[in-house]
Amino acid sequence: MTMPTSHCPWRMQVHHIQQETPDVWTLSLLCHDHYPYRAGQYALVSINQRADTLRAYSLSSTPGVSEYIQLTVRRIEDGVGSGWLTQQVRRGDYLWLSDAQGHFTCDNEASDKVLLLAAGCGVTPIMSMRRWLAKYRPACDVQTIVNVRSPQDLIFAREWSHYAVTRVAEHDVTPGFIAGRLSEALLQQVPDLAQRTVFCCGPAPYMDWAEATLRRFGVTRFLREQFFTPPVAASADVERLMFSKRSPATTFSAPRGNSLLQAMESNGVPVIAACREGVCGCCKTQVLAGDYRVTSTQTLSERELAEGYVLACSCQPQSDLVLA
Ligand code: FES
């Protein structure tokens, strides 16, 4: 059983676990209180009895539709959170979750034309939204394109058959799938493309390509979820920045272009990170000297900002830094 943390006050019991694909499982959780969340949001999960280990997962269930709170998790090799959730957690165990978080949700969109795009595990918030739209906006015209590596990797395969969906697979294509990847030609087949609000979830390069292409085609409302930001690879031609940490005293370096969080994690410097997008506040770190830019200060007070606190996941160092 895991322990509650200040970030994860919601205790939930695992009712059952279902394997979706060779490396993805859905955990169905019972919460004895009302757990408020919105279609497409995610929650932090306290991992393996360690109050300092949190991971963020999309809630794949749908409020007002699903019987259980559900997390759908892909097992990542050496993944502390995904390995524990998919291989060790059993029926009847307890998990601790945070409040639902994130702004990737469709319930405040007035548009009556929607395009849902998902790749791989990105279908988890997209399916949550698809069910929500079917129940609460039945008149909404929803088009969906889902990309997978091979047909056996399609999560929620049976449930997708209830909806009109274009399935695209890179290899081992079977009937019902189009071979290849998301393409300009596929997008141009979507009726009224430019008038649609687009929700997109998947790997960063997939979303980057989809956003750039759709904006060229006239789409103005493009909302995206992002699970992680890949660190800039170390290479001989990338300048490295130096970091001195006062307590405990240590120095380390990382390529320019890495976020402060990536610089710390890649050097084994202890830091808690969950959402990785400047929302949860877990990665708060004090910078004593140096230049940096920030993309989120959401959970920080005026005083903390004045004292040099940043959210490491949302901090881009511009020079060598001194950390507290
Ligand atoms: S990890 Fe959530 S704010 Fe940085």
Side-chain angles (χ1 to χ4, degrees), residues 207-227:
M207 292 191 291
D208 290 344
W209 182 88
E211 179 166 11
T213 306
L214 286 167
R215 292 211 185 276
R216 250 192 309 119
F217 291 161
V219 168
T220 55
R221 290 287 294 155
F222 185 97
L223 296 99
R224 58 192 277 167
E225 177 68 296
Q226 195 157 351
F227 289 142

Side-chain angles (χ1 to χ4, degrees), residues 228-304:
F228 67 95
T229 310
V232 172
S235 92
D237 7 334
V238 177
E239 180 197 357
R240 296 186 76 86
L241 299 177
M242 293 301 302
F243 299 81
S244 327
K245 193 162 181 343
R246 294 270 166 86
S247 172
T250 182
T251 56
F252 55 96
S253 71
R256 184 185 279 278
N258 277 193
S259 68
L260 178 56
L261 178 64
Q262 290 161 346
M264 295 171 82
E265 286 183 330
S266 60
N267 286 280
V269 176
V271 57
I272 299 174
C275 72
R276 295 174 181 273
E277 57 179 25
V279 176
C280 71
C282 292
C283 62
K284 184 172 78 172
T285 303
Q286 190 178 19
V287 180
L288 300 176
D291 294 332
Y292 53 86
R293 293 202 193 116
V294 294
T295 53
S296 169
T297 55
Q298 264 192 46
T299 61
L300 300 174
S301 66
E302 292 288 319
R303 182 171 172 182
E304 287 172 328

